[in-house]
Amino acid sequence: GNVNTAASIVVKLNTAVEGVVGSYNGTYAKAQAARNNVETFEYVGGIMATSRPFCVSMVGSILNADDIQNIWDGEHWAGKEPGDPFVVRGGYNCRHYWVPVEE
């Protein structure tokens, strides 16, 4: 059949790059918050047809780091990846972020 290998590779590379950039951004935001004694974060990002129920329910939530970790440890959903919730966010291919909120 007609397989567009170049397009398939581009999609995979874009997904991988977005994942790496998202993980970096999460790591950086968490470190900056710690440096500035900021303990509150907002879950931000748009909602798409493919957004996970977890992400849909969390967008706009403002929580402290302990609450974020407790939710992360206590809930399970399709695509969830193990690790730091600030780094892996909602899971594979997630486009949401925890953004520090200064008082």
Side-chain angles (χ1 to χ4, degrees):
N2 291 333
V3 176
N4 188 340
T5 305
S8 297
I9 291 171
V10 168
V11 168
K12 288 188 180 287
L13 285 174
N14 282 339
T15 300
V17 168
E18 287 174 3
V20 169
V21 169
S23 294
Y24 173 82
N25 285 342
T27 302
Y28 182 78
K30 185 178 178 183
Q32 283 295 94
R35 242 182 253 119
N36 294 309
N37 297 316
V38 175
E39 297 178 3
T40 307
F41 300 84
E42 182 176 4
Y43 198 65
V44 299
I47 303 296
M48 309 180 319
T50 57
S51 293
R52 293 178 180 87
F54 169 80
C55 293
V56 171
S57 70
M58 293 301 293
V59 167
S61 296
I62 298 175
L63 304 165
N64 66 41
D66 289 337
D67 289 339
I68 293 166
Q69 190 64 54
N70 288 335
I71 290 170
W72 186 258
D73 292 341
E75 294 190 27
H76 301 283
W77 57 87
K80 179 181 175 185
E81 295 181 349
D84 185 334
F86 291 92
V87 177
V88 296
R89 298 155 291 128
Y92 173 76
N93 203 25
C94 182
R95 293 182 176 97
H96 298 97
Y97 301 91
W98 289 107
V99 177
V101 176
E102 294 187 69
E103 311 232 351

